[in-house]
Amino acid sequence: MTVALYPYPKVSSELGHVETYKDFAPTHKIPTKTRELEIKSLVEKITSNPSFNPNLKFDASKHIVFDPSYYKSTKTFTLDELKINKTHVPRVTDFGAAFPFPLLSSEAVDMVLYEALQPEIIEDYARLPNLAKGATRLDFHIGGHADDHAPFTDALIKSPEIAEIVSNFFGTPMSVIYNSERAHLNVSLATKDEEEIAKYPSSKEEIMQALNNQDAGDGDEIPSTLGLHYDSTTVALVVMLDLPEEAVGGQTTIITGDEKVVRVPEPKKGYATMIQGRVLKHLASKPVTNHNRISFVNGFAVRGPEQLDNTALTSTKPSVLPRARYDLFYRDWVDYKFTHLEEHLKYIREQVNKDFRDGKGFDQEGFVKKCLNIEEYFKKCYDEMECVNNPPYPSPHFKTKYQDY
Ligand SMILES: [Fe+2]
């Protein structure tokens, strides 16, 4: 089926799509060398800790190390401060970004990594990225595994404590979004292959040069596991799971309203940053040195029933993000979007009834406005699906200047 109203009815590798997306992109599997060398040794490092317990249960009081004083002590930026006046979709709040703040204990970080790096998870839920600049066999994504296979990670990311922290920073009630878009790991591993090691800059001068080269690029040239993009979720809570202190580079890089590059300072292990990624152009840069960088990304959106979320499929649909499993991804998507829609419809119906009972009458203009909003939302449920529209990826709008919207 194709919907003729849309200009790109077919998935095509020439347009930057993964053609094998329905079969879970076998072309993008994690190479055996990476599994047997680097991933295996990382798991061994975690399990060799004498206090490590593979059956650890999530306990917010122990594993979340956030203190309410961090709301004040954490540096945050509004969109105005980032000089962003125009956005490609409406902003939800004026929140732009938060610099790193402590969130998870070291024990919690190790559990999230341990659950995600199991061989069967790597086989079933991890894939190399599509089209990322400078990506190698050591750069990949994991995600969609938490609901059914990662009980600690799942309990952590669904915890009301985390939602409260995100909501307070963001300035409106938020909740974590669907399974396929939470507990996503961006992984860049240090190589253990001698020949590959030799290719990394080693002297201080070489390292600085490599970093300067990244900064001088136009944002799209920065090596990354995910190129310059907007997120498809309202806000991303990014927790660092691994980034040694001696690593150079490897931050979230934001493009400001004047199209300049701002690096969010290096978060330490267990620290989190937040950005309103739906309206902020950004990318996750790789370290220029030979070090691991593993971040844990969780999508959040407004909580219902009064408001509808602005989540989209643009950068997360399976033909664009190889680690998204077609059947699972769309089950998660429909379940999330329709649950939200159902709650919103019920809320509006009840409001109309209540207004009538209270003698307030019927607000026709207000109701039509809500219907138009619902129409828009409903369309977003399907209009980016592969059988409908497949514009080139990376989307041309990722490169549009903010001022040109
Ligand atoms: Fe992102």
Side-chain angles (χ1 to χ4, degrees):
M1 186 202 85
T2 56
V3 179
L5 287 172
Y6 296 91
Y8 296 102
K10 281 206 170 70
V11 168
S12 133
S13 58
E14 277 163 36
L15 294 176
H17 309 136
V18 183
E19 291 191 7
T20 52
Y21 69 99
K22 278 197 180 172
D23 305 315
F24 192 30
T27 42
H28 290 63
K29 279 192 176 193
I30 312 306
T32 310
K33 183 175 174 181
T34 306
R35 299 185 200 211
E36 289 178 357
L37 212 54
E38 289 86 3
I39 297 178
K40 207 172 157 197
S41 96
L42 188 50
V43 174
E44 279 166 7
K45 192 177 148 204
I46 295 165
T47 53
S48 69
N49 182 338
S51 63
F52 178 75
N53 168 14
N55 301 311
L56 187 71
K57 294 259 180 302
F58 174 70
D59 176 349
S61 66
K62 261 203 263 166
H63 299 128
I64 297 179
V65 297
F66 187 86
D67 184 279
S69 69
Y70 302 158
Y71 291 125
K72 272 206 174 133
S73 58
T74 302
K75 180 152 181 55
T76 57
F77 290 90
T78 63
L79 292 174
D80 286 347
E81 285 163 348
L82 293 168
K83 303 193 183 93
I84 295 170
N85 316 312
K86 288 184 173 177
T87 49
H88 73 110
V89 291
R91 63 183 68 189
V92 176
T93 67
D94 194 38
F95 173 86
F99 272 10
F101 55 86
L103 184 68
L104 299 184
S105 71
S106 170
E107 193 182 41
V109 165
D110 284 351
M111 267 313 279
V112 172
L113 277 174
Y114 174 78
E115 287 186 332
L117 294 172
Q118 295 306 307
E120 59 278 15
I121 300 295
I122 297 297
E123 176 66 22
D124 293 343
Y125 296 91
R127 288 294 181 265
L128 300 171
N130 188 30
L131 305 170
K133 194 86 194 166
T136 71
R137 68 175 180 90
L138 297 158
D139 304 303
F140 55 94
H141 302 134
I142 310 168
H145 63 296
D147 232 7
D148 293 332
H149 304 288
F152 183 94
T153 308
D154 197 48
L156 183 160
I157 204 54
K158 285 179 182 165
S159 71
E161 289 83 358
I162 299 261
E164 192 191 326
I165 294 165
V166 172
S167 302
N168 283 337
F169 272 118
F170 197 69
T172 197
M174 305 289 277
S175 56
V176 74
I177 65 161
Y178 54 103
N179 168 57
S180 282
E181 274 310 295
R182 56 183 180 239
H184 166 101
L185 280 79
N186 283 325
V187 185
S188 284
L189 297 178
T191 177
K192 292 196 174 292
D193 176 302
E194 292 297 332
E195 271 179 37
E196 290 171 1
I197 291 171
K199 288 179 192 150
Y200 276 89
S202 51
S203 71
K204 239 185 183 162
E205 289 73 27
E206 284 171 353
I207 290 169
M208 286 324 288
Q209 188 57 48
L211 200 58
N212 288 340
N213 288 349
Q214 281 196 354
D215 282 341
D218 69 356
D220 217 17
E221 296 301 314
I222 300 176
S224 60
T225 56
L226 199 59
L228 190 60
H229 65 283
Y230 288 109
D231 286 339
S232 295
T233 65
T234 312
V235 73
L237 174 73
V238 181
V239 188
M240 194 55 67
L241 301 181
D242 199 0
L243 184 66
E245 302 236 343
E246 59 278 18
V248 180
Q251 295 99 326
T252 296
T253 303
I254 293 173
I255 311 296
T256 53
D258 49 1
E259 306 298 322
K260 299 236 166 76
V261 169
V262 164
R263 284 173 183 274
V264 176
E266 290 165 307
K268 293 178 207 158
K269 179 174 166 177
Y271 278 53
T273 58
M274 261 176 71
I275 59 166
Q276 188 172 174
R278 188 80 177 95
V279 298
L280 270 184
K281 265 189 285 191
H282 65 280
L283 58 83
S285 57
K286 283 168 61 169
V288 296
T289 49
N290 186 33
H291 293 103
N292 290 347
R293 182 196 196 268
I294 308 177
S295 62
F296 176 55
V297 187
N298 294 283
F300 282 77
V302 292
R303 216 181 282 164
E306 296 92 338
Q307 305 179 73
L308 288 168
D309 59 273
N310 66 0
T311 55
L313 289 170
T314 322
S315 58
T316 52
K317 61 182 180 179
S319 58
V320 162
L321 181 67
R323 74 102 181 122
R325 299 179 65 100
Y326 181 80
D327 290 342
L328 174 69
F329 180 86
Y330 283 116
R331 188 283 309 260
D332 289 347
W333 168 258
V334 173
D335 186 59
Y336 175 74
K337 294 298 264 193
F338 273 33
T339 300
H340 217 167
L341 186 58
E342 285 164 21
E343 288 170 355
H344 187 62
L345 288 169
K346 180 169 181 272
Y347 169 78
I348 292 172
R349 178 172 57 77
E350 288 174 353
Q351 275 303 115
V352 167
N353 276 303
K354 187 174 179 300
D355 284 354
F356 179 77
R357 275 198 313 272
D358 295 349
K360 287 185 187 162
F362 180 63
D363 172 9
Q364 200 176 64
E365 283 79 9
F367 179 74
V368 170
K369 221 172 165 184
K370 287 196 170 75
C371 286
L372 289 170
N373 191 33
I374 290 165
E375 254 183 69
E376 184 92 350
Y377 185 85
F378 187 64
K379 198 168 149 196
K380 253 302 105 305
C381 290
Y382 69 83
D383 73 352
E384 293 187 276
M385 285 188 173
E386 284 88 352
C387 70
V388 178
N389 194 21
N390 307 278
Y393 200 85
S395 300
H397 83 278
F398 293 171
K399 290 193 178 157
T400 305
K401 292 191 168 121
Y402 290 106
Q403 281 312 317
D404 295 340
Y405 287 118

